């Protein structure tokens, strides 16, 4: 049985690895792999399916890490399916996984929301897109914002939006991210407008503003769903549950404020660049 930290250790240390995993690889020797990071809070019952989907990728991740917000009991035994498990006695919402990602030893990072199940060619699709001339923040559900300084997801691209055969530039992406580890430096250049919401908006805005890094959705062709970032029948069911973030009070108004503040601070969205 894998060794576990007891409750007293959790309470005193706050954050700790659940087990002693294999030694972390050196960054140079393991450079071209992918590290996938999953987050568990209230939907840990999907964790096994997500790990299975990642292991079944045609280009599987080198390692799978799990960030567990607020010591969700559903993740206590995740060490037998994940390479590294981090338990926290606080709910860091969407930001904990991005801070954890700064410690990966691979060149590429993949993040998945807890209601996303990728199709088997998703990671290969991301690698081909990045290397094919679109070296930016890649994601599975993209949004092209309106000209008005507010948030609207009316124009979506990806698994739950328009299914284009070519990479498509968008203002921001969510649900599933794929990026070069060096791009994480831009996320922390400025403090987020809100710690409660809007990490997807903040990441794309900071990458473009401070690094000239654009955001794209890789191809989601109707003719080949194996390349999609999420299995639609799974994402629609899981995303409609009462634990979904978009169901929380003030979700829309907070995202409006994040967009307004970032645009006032110099983030130029596609609608402005087209004029």
């Amino acid at each position: 049985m894998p060794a576990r930290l007891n409750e007293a250790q959790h309470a005193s240390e706050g954050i700790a690895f659940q087990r002693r995993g294999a030694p972390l690889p050196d960054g140079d020797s393991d450079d071209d792999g992918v590290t996938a990071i999953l987050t568990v809070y209230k939907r840990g019952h999907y964790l096994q399916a997500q790990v299975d989907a990642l292991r079944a990728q045609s280009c599987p991740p080198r390692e799978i890490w799990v960030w567990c917000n607020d010591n969700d009991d559903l993740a206590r035994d995740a060490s037998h399916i994940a390479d590294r498990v981090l338990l926290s006695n606080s709910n860091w919402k969407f930001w904990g996984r991005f801070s954890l990602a700064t410690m990966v030893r691979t060149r590429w990072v993949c993040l998945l929301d807890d209601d996303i199940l990728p199709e088997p060619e998703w990671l290969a699709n991301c690698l081909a897109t990045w290397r094919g001339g679109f070296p930016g923040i890649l994601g599975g559900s993209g949004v092209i914002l309106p000209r008005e300084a507010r948030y609207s997801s009316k124009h979506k691209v990806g698994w739950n939006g328009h299914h284009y055969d070519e990479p498509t530039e968008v203002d921001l992406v969510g649900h599933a991210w794929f990026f070069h580890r060096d791009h994480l430096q831009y996320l922390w250049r400025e403090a987020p407008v809100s710690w409660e919401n809007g990490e997807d908006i903040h990441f794309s805005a900071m990458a473009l503003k401070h690094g000239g890094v654009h955001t794209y959705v890789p191809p989601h062709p109707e003719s080949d769903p194996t390349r999609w970032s999420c299995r639609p029948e799974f994402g629609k069911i899981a995303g409609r549950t009462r634990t979904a973030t978009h169901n929380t009070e003030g979700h829309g108004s907070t995202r409006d404020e994040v967009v307004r503040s970032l645009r006032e601070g110099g983030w130029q969205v596609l609608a402005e660049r087209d004029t």
Side-chain angles (χ1 to χ4, degrees):
M1 294 289 291
R4 294 188 182 86
L5 296 169
N6 60 37
E7 291 298 324
Q9 286 174 301
H10 284 309
S12 63
E13 296 177 17
I15 297 177
F17 279 112
Q18 183 174 350
R19 65 160 181 159
R20 182 170 296 177
L24 282 162
D26 179 77
D28 293 331
S29 63
D30 201 33
D31 197 42
D32 205 39
V34 178
T35 299
I37 299 178
L38 304 173
T39 300
V40 174
Y41 178 47
K42 291 184 178 180
R43 290 185 282 202
H45 46 286
Y46 296 139
L47 183 61
Q48 179 70 65
Q50 287 190 297
V51 170
D52 290 344
L54 287 168
R55 299 288 189 202
Q57 293 286 303
S58 64
C59 182
R62 196 70 54 85
E63 290 196 336
I64 297 175
W65 297 6
V66 175
W67 172 280
C68 179
N69 276 316
D70 206 18
N71 289 347
D72 188 332
D73 288 338
L74 293 169
R76 292 301 175 88
D77 293 322
S79 59
H80 73 287
I81 60 173
D83 297 290
R84 307 187 193 279
V85 179
L86 195 90
L87 303 179
S88 171
N89 66 357
S90 300
N91 180 9
W92 298 96
K93 297 190 180 290
F94 323 100
W95 303 95
R97 57 187 174 179
F98 283 99
S99 62
L100 180 60
T102 62
M103 295 189 286
V104 304
R105 302 301 202 269
T106 56
R107 178 178 298 175
W108 312 104
V109 183
C110 165
L111 302 182
L112 298 178
D113 281 352
D114 59 3
D115 55 357
I116 294 298
L117 208 61
E119 295 281 16
E121 296 293 331
W122 170 241
L123 290 182
N125 188 12
C126 290
L127 283 166
T129 298
W130 212 95
R131 291 167 172 163
F134 300 89
I137 308 299
L138 307 183
S141 178
V143 173
I144 297 176
L145 293 171
R147 191 173 302 278
E148 300 80 19
R150 62 181 178 83
Y151 178 80
S152 171
S153 60
K154 183 178 180 179
H155 191 169
K156 278 191 172 182
V157 178
W159 78 268
N160 59 347
H162 294 286
H163 303 149
Y164 296 132
D165 293 342
E166 301 296 332
T168 305
E169 185 170 3
V170 293
D171 288 310
L172 62 120
V173 289
H175 293 197
W177 289 262
F178 181 94
F179 50 88
H180 195 289
R181 65 185 179 197
D182 290 348
H183 289 165
L184 278 166
Q185 63 179 299
Y186 305 119
L187 178 68
W188 308 110
R189 290 291 181 89
E190 299 177 23
V193 177
S194 170
W195 289 101
E196 301 297 313
N197 202 324
E199 85 291 356
D200 50 350
I201 309 170
H202 186 78
F203 191 17
S204 289
M206 293 294 100
L208 183 62
K209 178 179 176 180
H210 293 290
V213 176
H214 294 247
T215 297
Y216 305 95
V217 174
H220 280 67
E222 290 279 1
S223 61
D224 189 4
T226 66
R227 298 166 69 188
W228 290 17
S229 55
C230 184
R231 301 177 190 178
E233 66 278 9
F234 177 85
K236 291 176 181 177
I237 292 172
R240 284 200 297 263
T241 63
R242 62 183 176 83
T243 58
T245 305
H246 64 260
N247 292 329
T248 58
E249 185 177 357
H251 176 80
S253 59
T254 300
R255 291 179 75 81
D256 282 345
E257 178 56 30
V258 171
V259 170
R260 280 195 296 268
S261 180
L262 289 170
R263 290 182 66 172
E264 289 172 0
W267 178 34
Q268 191 177 41
V269 302
L270 284 168
E272 295 176 299
R273 284 180 269 154
D274 288 342
T275 58

